[in-house]
Amino acid sequence: MTGSSNPKPPIDRAYSIASIKACIPTPLDLDKLNYNSWSSLFKRFCKAYDVLHHLDATSSSASANDPSYESNDSLVVMWIYSTISPKLVDMIVDDSATANGVWKRLTEIFHDNKDARVVQLDNEIRNMVFGFFSRTEVQGRSTC
């Protein structure tokens, strides 16, 4: 066969990525409430490079069979750190963390925060000002 070349395996291509931020342009941020979109993009990115199993808790058995598992896992951890806000990095950074551990920690932060965020948003709505009147004043003036 002339001119045919074997394509690089996805994980080999993963090490040649200059910037993951081009593929996941909006960093995960506590203030933006973008966990669902960020996690979907991140999982899709990992799937494309055949490292999605690093985010899964059941992948520990795969590590025994793969000599490059730890370096690949560290790569995924670095991708996570580079696509989240500095405040979140400070909250979760750990030099011994696995990709799955970091992934679970982020999930916990955003899912545990839901109830508090609902209360916060409810208070913001209750205290909104419409023109010169607060929401409660507008409701009191309603003639309907």
Side-chain angles (χ1 to χ4, degrees):
M1 288 189 195
T2 59
S4 71
S5 63
N6 294 336
K8 287 184 176 181
I11 193 62
D12 289 345
R13 288 187 292 128
Y15 282 98
S16 67
I17 292 172
S19 176
I20 189 174
K21 292 178 184 181
C23 300
I24 303 174
T26 306
L28 178 61
D29 194 319
L30 279 170
D31 298 328
K32 292 183 183 177
L33 299 176
N34 61 343
Y35 175 78
N36 289 336
S37 61
W38 174 87
S39 64
S40 293
L41 285 171
F42 195 89
K43 286 190 282 189
R44 177 65 62 174
F45 187 83
C46 287
K47 187 176 182 179
Y49 288 96
D50 198 28
V51 292
L52 184 61
H53 59 280
H54 287 270
L55 303 180
D56 184 18
T58 61
S59 67
S60 59
S61 62
S63 62
N65 300 331
D66 184 359
S68 60
Y69 184 88
E70 284 188 31
S71 62
N72 294 344
D73 196 70
S74 291
L75 177 67
V76 175
V77 170
M78 293 309 300
W79 286 349
I80 293 172
Y81 289 162
S82 68
T83 59
I84 64 176
S85 70
K87 182 178 178 180
L88 281 171
V89 171
D90 289 342
M91 291 172 69
I92 66 167
V93 71
D94 178 359
D95 64 344
S96 64
T98 63
N100 174 256
V102 172
W103 188 256
K104 283 175 33 177
R105 180 72 181 117
L106 286 171
T107 302
E108 290 169 1
I109 288 170
F110 281 88
H111 285 201
D112 288 348
N113 197 26
K114 280 184 179 181
D115 292 335
R117 185 67 179 147
V118 167
V119 171
Q120 178 188 1
L121 289 173
D122 186 53
N123 287 333
E124 286 178 21
I125 290 170
R126 289 181 191 278
N127 295 319
M128 278 185 161
V129 175
F130 298 95
F132 296 107
F133 303 107
S134 70
R135 185 187 69 76
T136 54
E137 289 173 322
V138 170
Q139 282 182 328
R141 294 175 186 262
S142 178
T143 58
C144 296

